[in-house]
Amino acid sequence: MTPFPISEQTSVRFSDPLPAEADVVVIGGGVIGVCTALFLARAGQSVVLLEKGRIAGEQSSRNWGWIRQQGRDPDELPIMVEANQHWRNLATQTNRDIGLTQGGVTYLADNDAQMARYADWLPVAQAQGVDTRLLTAAETRALLPGTGKSYAGALHTASDMRAEPWVAVPALAEIAARAGAQIREGCAVRCLDLAAGRVAGVVTEAGRIATSEVVLAGGAWSSLFLRNHGVALPQLSVRATVAKTTDLPAVAAGGVADNRIAFRHRADGGYTLAPGGFHELFLGWDALRALPKFLTQLRADPFGTRFLPTAPKGYPDAWGTARRWSGDAPSPFENQRVLNPQPNTAKVRDLKRKFATLFPQLPQFDISHAWAGMIDTMPDVVPVVDRVSALPGLTLGTGMSGHGFGIGPAMGRILADMVMGNPTGHDLTRFRFNRFTDGTSMRLGPAL
Ligand SMILES: Cc1cc2nc3c(=O)[nH]c(=O)nc-3n(C[C@H](O)[C@H](O)[C@H](O)COP(=O)(O)OP(=O)(O)OC[C@H]3O[C@@H](n4cnc5c(N)ncnc54)[C@H](O)[C@@H]3O)c2cc1C
């Protein structure tokens, strides 16, 4: 099997020297950090983006590549509509083909009850002018002519898109660099440098940078980073397995999911396949601490999570990972440059079988590679995008809960404006940090 396109072995592409000071330091070179740096640089800020491993080495390259409005939380949807526009613009500003394609997203329904759940989401789409509609059984058959299976119908959004994430996010980083962002891979931020109770800089493995504004976009590492500063963020990371087929003819234009499998055609000719509604949680101290806040989610989907007793060594929530450290010695971030979890091989075999069964007319194919990513998720399955009042000068953009790739450019634009003290253009109340502690009752984002 071919290896995943971005790993610790990938050559360093961004190696700017560290400045002594900057207006803003962004921690984490995933789609959120990259887009934040991009919009800050465009606004004329001096910005440094620091990535412990490789740009997009973790979730931001490992995802399915769906740029999806469909099924979003009502408070996320206007942001996602904005993100679609950014994607279209940014795709014209790269010198690479990021595979941006408007093929739509389709959720297939096994029965009328599922169709009714889909119908409940239509007013959310209509409120934002999104073109989502219900397809009848006949329309669904016409959309997927090659399948032997019949469905009760589907939820379909024609304006949804896809892109190749391992190409797209590094390409966005190149745009940010051209706009003036200084980007450095292989440079972990060990901790914040605090003075008089507020951010005065960051301590990195390559030295200190003075700054009064830091954005933490650390994905699956954000909770660990904050814990070292005494701030609790109830965030868990779950392993999600993905596989790629050898080249196959197109059986559908866009992203498609039923209750068992999700798939989309890729620019390189294969399919990206993933199991529907399945992920694995490695138990560790943070998981145990946060689990009570996740009970609503676990009750709503009792069979979606499989529990595993121990995370691999060096993972953010492995039993042996340090929870406290200082800036003058290597931190857990330097011990694990790129989270590269092993995929679940039984699921990979199962994906091949399910896809072949769903499209019996397809020629023989193989799985050419399989990989996994650690998804950072919040108890209510929506992100945290907020200033951290306990650490003035720190802004948090994390917990994208499995759907941060598509929305990333707009979240980056919002975080940039938040840091600069500008209006963000959206109601972000839903994404505030203190919702887990201010007595608000849990409202789960739609599990669509
Ligand atoms: C299998 C899978 C499928 C998915 N499918 C989709 C999809 O189809 N559509 C969609 O919209 N979303 C999808 N997602 C979710 C999406 O990929 C994530 O929400 C998004 O990439 C999160 O971006 P991020 O920048 O917050 O985090 P990440 O991409 O995880 O980036 C965080 C970065 O911070 C770095 N970092 C952490 N701590 C430090 C530190 N102290 N110093 C320096 N660097 C640090 C890490 O190395 C990492 O590179 C999927 C995710 C997975 C794993």
Side-chain angles (χ1 to χ4, degrees):
M1 280 204 195
T2 44
F4 189 73
I6 305 181
S7 71
E8 212 171 323
Q9 282 67 49
T10 305
S11 314
V12 166
R13 279 188 272 189
F14 300 91
S15 55
D16 284 333
L18 288 197
E21 58 184 332
D23 292 334
V24 188
V25 171
V26 178
I27 306 173
V31 68
I32 302 300
V34 164
C35 293
T36 304
L38 190 162
F39 285 101
L40 282 166
R42 281 194 172 163
Q45 298 282 298
S46 67
V47 53
V48 185
L49 171 63
L50 300 172
E51 165 54 51
K52 67 179 170 56
R54 299 292 179 273
I55 291 293
E58 298 193 346
Q59 296 174 84
S60 291
S61 59
R62 292 160 186 276
N63 63 70
W64 303 353
W66 293 26
I67 298 175
R68 154 181 85 78
Q69 303 158 106
Q70 180 160 300
R72 291 259 171 189
D73 185 88
D75 291 280
E76 272 187 13
L77 188 56
I79 301 174
M80 187 58 227
V81 171
E82 178 190 327
N84 260 10
Q85 200 48 53
H86 289 306
W87 276 113
R88 289 179 201 281
N89 295 339
L90 290 166
T92 65
Q93 294 159 22
T94 67
N95 354 340
R96 307 204 215 173
D97 179 2
I98 64 168
L100 189 72
T101 307
Q102 184 181 323
V105 158
T106 307
Y107 293 166
L108 303 163
D110 283 340
N111 50 45
D112 291 345
Q114 202 167 1
M115 284 300 281
R117 274 205 318 130
Y118 291 165
D120 287 344
W121 192 78
L122 286 178
V124 177
Q126 280 152 6
Q128 299 302 326
V130 175
D131 56 346
T132 307
R133 62 191 192 92
L134 292 177
L135 303 184
T136 62
E139 287 171 316
T140 307
R141 245 192 324 278
L143 198 79
L144 294 176
T147 177
K149 189 171 171 356
S150 59
Y151 291 94
L155 186 71
H156 177 73
T157 303
S159 58
D160 277 346
M161 299 188 285
R162 65 173 190 270
E164 307 303 329
W166 51 92
V167 185
V169 178
L172 297 181
E174 286 166 5
I175 301 177
R178 283 201 296 276
Q182 296 170 76
I183 306 181
R184 178 137 163 172
E185 294 175 310
C187 184
V189 177
R190 290 178 174 165
C191 57
L192 300 171
D193 185 11
L194 300 169
R198 63 157 295 127
V199 169
V202 293
V203 181
T204 83
E205 62 181 300
R208 178 180 181 275
I209 303 175
T211 186
S212 55
E213 292 292 344
V214 172
V215 176
L216 176 58
W221 299 89
S222 299
S223 161
L224 184 67
F225 188 94
L226 289 171
R227 179 163 296 285
N228 186 42
H229 288 286
V231 173
L233 174 75
Q235 178 188 42
L236 296 181
S237 296
V238 292
R239 178 172 76 165
T241 289
V242 193
K244 172 196 178 303
T245 69
T246 46
D247 291 2
L248 283 172
V251 293
V256 181
D258 70 8
N259 294 327
R260 295 155 289 272
I261 187 169
F263 55 91
R264 69 142 180 117
H265 206 225
R266 301 161 53 110
D268 62 12
Y271 272 86
T272 290
L273 309 180
F278 173 79
H279 43 256
E280 294 166 295
L281 174 65
F282 295 110
L283 290 174
W285 297 118
D286 293 336
L288 293 185
R289 254 190 297 259
L291 267 179
K293 298 229 184 283
F294 280 80
L295 285 180
T296 312
Q297 196 184 125
L298 289 170
R299 279 193 206 106
D301 181 20
F303 306 111
T305 309
R306 181 172 163 230
F307 294 90
L308 301 172
T310 312
K313 190 164 178 273
Y315 273 41
D317 195 20
W319 296 106
T321 296
R323 263 57 183 185
R324 286 288 163 114
W325 59 89
S326 64
D328 50 18
S331 65
F333 311 113
E334 288 134 277
N335 291 335
Q336 190 70 229
R337 296 282 172 184
V338 177
L339 277 174
N340 186 12
Q342 287 300 305
N344 179 320
T345 47
K347 283 285 169 193
V348 172
R349 280 195 300 275
D350 195 42
L351 283 170
K352 182 183 174 193
R353 190 181 51 74
K354 282 191 172 125
F355 196 55
T357 309
L358 196 54
F359 294 102
Q361 88 297 356
L362 280 177
Q364 284 279 335
F365 66 91
D366 271 319
I367 299 295
S368 59
H369 66 248
W371 67 94
M374 297 301 294
I375 294 180
D376 63 326
T377 186
M378 303 309 300
D380 46 6
V381 213
V382 292
V384 178
V385 181
D386 202 358
R387 308 280 288 175
V388 180
S389 55
L391 296 167
L394 180 65
T395 302
L396 196 50
T398 197
M400 296 291 144
S401 302
H403 43 268
F405 172 67
I407 208 169
M411 285 299 189
R413 200 279 302 154
I414 286 170
L415 285 158
D417 275 319
M418 199 178 259
V419 166
M420 292 185 290
N422 298 333
T424 61
H426 294 284
D427 181 355
L428 302 175
T429 315
R430 174 94 163 114
F431 311 117
R432 71 197 186 284
F433 188 22
N434 69 2
R435 67 185 192 264
F436 307 110
T437 48
D438 66 2
T440 317
S441 59
M442 188 72 63
R443 175 159 62 90
L444 288 184
L448 285 182

